[in-house]
């Protein structure tokens, strides 16, 4: 309930990035807590706090925000299909993590959350460089921003090709 108001105030992209970064820091804290648990008994509290923070940051960003963004990135025609594909991907990944976690934990030991931290870093970088802010923008404005990025990338490639041919 609170997320609806927070999304409109802070923006989708900033909440998504903050959530990913908070989850990344929490995953690192969980890893440190598990690695040092045998040396310091109080590390169990660090691990517990890190788990709670991980869930809180998930609920601020990567939990609800993708649903807002998917709904805003597609026009009326393909929107239901895009939401269905996003839902399938979300639940398929949840299923895979749920089924494989114990095996990965047995294999990696206390470093199991380092895998999550690495993936979260990749997700953060992708979102930072590729995911636009959709707050207060129409579908046409968002689509135009993607077209500009695509055109500017194409123009840069052509410019590099021209420079290379001049040097040859």
């Amino acid at each position: 309930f609170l997320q609806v108001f927070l999304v409109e105030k802070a923006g989708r992209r900033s909440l998504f990035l903050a959530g990913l970064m908070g989850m990344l820091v929490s995953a690192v804290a969980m890893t440190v807590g598990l690695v040092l648990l045998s040396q310091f008994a109080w590390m169990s509290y660090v691990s517990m706090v890190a788990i709670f923070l991980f869930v809180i940051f998930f609920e601020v960003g990567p939990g609800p925000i993708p649903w807002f963004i998917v709904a805003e990135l597609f026009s009326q025609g393909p929107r239901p299909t895009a939401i269905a594909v996003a839902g399938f991907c979300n639940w398929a990944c949840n299923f895979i993590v749920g089924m494989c976690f114990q095996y990965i934990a047995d294999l990696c030991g206390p470093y199991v959350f380092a895998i999550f931290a690495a993936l979260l870093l990749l997700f953060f970088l992708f979102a930072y460089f590729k995911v636009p802010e959709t707050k207060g923008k129409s579908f046409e404005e968002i689509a135009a921003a993607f077209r500009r990025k695509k055109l500017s990338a194409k123009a840069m490639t052509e410019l590099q090709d021209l420079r290379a041919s001049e040097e040859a």
Side-chain angles (χ1 to χ4, degrees):
F1 179 72
L2 182 64
Q3 185 67 15
V4 174
F5 299 109
L6 194 57
V7 162
E8 291 304 320
K9 197 80 165 158
R12 289 111 173 98
R13 184 174 184 269
S14 58
L15 283 176
F16 190 62
L17 291 173
L20 286 172
M21 186 53 68
M23 289 172 65
L24 172 63
V25 170
S26 298
V28 170
M30 281 189 269
T31 302
V32 170
L34 289 174
V35 168
L36 298 177
L37 185 60
S38 61
Q39 296 169 348
F40 305 102
W42 54 269
M43 278 295 174
S44 62
Y45 297 112
V46 171
S47 296
M48 280 189 347
V49 169
I51 290 169
F52 289 132
L53 287 174
F54 189 92
V55 171
I56 289 168
F57 280 112
F58 176 80
E59 292 302 326
V60 167
I65 300 298
W67 301 109
F68 285 100
I69 291 176
V70 168
E72 293 171 345
L73 285 181
F74 294 93
S75 63
Q76 284 298 102
R79 187 175 295 157
T81 304
I83 290 174
V85 169
F88 172 77
C89 290
N90 183 5
W91 285 106
C93 290
N94 286 338
F95 178 77
I96 291 168
V97 168
M99 294 302 291
C100 297
F101 181 80
Q102 188 60 49
Y103 300 110
I104 296 170
D106 291 342
L107 183 67
C108 298
Y111 297 99
V112 67
F113 291 106
I115 296 169
F116 288 96
L119 289 171
L120 284 163
L121 179 61
L122 291 174
F123 297 153
F124 179 85
L125 292 172
F126 175 81
Y128 183 80
F129 289 111
K130 297 292 184 183
V131 176
E133 176 59 73
T134 59
K135 176 185 157 194
K137 294 181 181 175
S138 68
F139 168 74
E140 290 77 19
E141 292 171 321
I142 296 167
F146 276 119
R147 279 192 296 275
R148 278 194 303 272
K149 284 183 180 180
K150 189 175 181 181
L151 287 175
S152 65
K154 184 178 177 183
M156 288 303 293
T157 303
E158 290 173 359
L159 183 62
Q160 289 170 348
D161 289 343
L162 284 174
R163 285 184 183 155
S165 64
E166 287 176 1
E167 292 174 0

